[in-house]
Amino acid sequence: MNIAIMASGGDCSGMNPATKRFVEYAIEKNINPYFIYDGLEGLIDANFKKASYLDVSGIIYRGGTILRSSRSKRFFEKKYRQKAYENLKKHNIQTVVVLGGDGSFRAFEVLSEEFGINFIGIPSTIDNDIYGTDYCLGVDTALNVIRSAIDDIRDTAMSFKRAFVIETMGRECGYLALISAITSGAEMCLIPEAPYDLDSLKRKFLKSKRKYFLAIVAEGLKISKDIKRWFENEIGIESRLTILGHIQRGGNPTVFDRRVAFEFVTYAIDLILDDKKNQVVVFKDSKVKSLDSKKVTSNRYRLDQHLLNIAQELMH
Ligand code: F6P
């Protein structure tokens, strides 16, 4: 049997450990592992390679993905999907393991409907915004990168008695911002999923004897610059904005991400051996399981209400 692995959409730490496990466990199970380089673009352009142990030696500690990734516009056109299918057929690949987000899983659902290609999705995105899983590969590394950055920024915030607004990634999802705020001792956290009250925060901040402030703002709100100005105009404290940007996507994968990569990929290959079709591997209630891809892609991820409740004071 021939199977392939590819990354699609935003990269994240943990993709390389996942790729290593893919090759090694496939060979262990007498399956031929293939790489598809450059995401959906490489699928269209036949950028394939039969993988061996040598390809994955020494990659476990590296961020990013040796598979490289892309966001493909061409894939939306049927003629390019036809090419993608023909490339898979030529290599006799029946199943693709997809490291990506729900947009990538949707792309493969189309390929499955049109050409019968099977896929197993591995939730891989720092945004942690995929329905049905409590955890996506790469999130722990991103959180640790953010923690380290906030710890460093706090040094200057304290030395200069400043407010720092720190913008985290995550698209429409405030998970990174919320967990980072809770674990970094921030005074304020604003995310798309929860209402906030600047007047009440202002009253609290003016009453407090705080000499500096750390405010974590999720990029999805698009208000980071306004909040910086709010600190200057309403609280009367010098302030700076730090947009963390793509450092959150990179870095040496944490132990947790290496472990999740190992468990997700092992589960994915076992699903293939059990002849399961179009599944997404998930981590739910501390267990690795799988869900039908359609269930994952047709529902919206929601932040844990308990987390939102306990962080209320950072928003009001
Ligand atoms: O989905 C991952 C992510 O890093 C988001 O958090 C962010 O909004 C987006 O990708 C950035 O995309 P790009 O790398 O294309 O600028």
Side-chain angles (χ1 to χ4, degrees), residues 31-46:
I31 302 171
N32 302 313
Y34 279 77
F35 288 165
I36 300 168
Y37 288 108
D38 303 311
L40 294 171
E41 288 289 293
L43 184 58
I44 294 166
D45 294 332

Side-chain angles (χ1 to χ4, degrees), residues 70-137:
S70 63
R71 301 191 200 278
S72 174
K73 289 212 172 72
R74 288 191 295 165
F75 197 82
F76 290 107
E77 291 181 52
K78 174 92 187 246
K79 65 175 178 189
Y80 291 112
R81 293 198 295 274
Q82 179 80 37
K83 277 190 82 182
Y85 165 64
E86 276 157 20
N87 294 334
L88 289 168
K89 203 165 98 182
K90 202 159 85 196
H91 289 85
N92 202 17
I93 292 167
Q94 294 92 5
T95 304
V96 181
V97 171
V98 183
L99 306 172
D102 51 6
S104 309
F105 305 155
R106 262 183 223 111
F108 267 85
E109 282 171 2
V110 177
L111 213 52
S112 169
E113 274 152 30
E114 290 175 343
F115 305 104
I117 292 298
N118 181 33
F119 74 97
I120 307 291
I122 308 258
S124 312
T125 166
I126 64 164
D127 301 343
N128 211 41
D129 61 350
I130 298 180
Y131 176 84
T133 188
D134 295 333
Y135 188 78
C136 299
L137 192 63

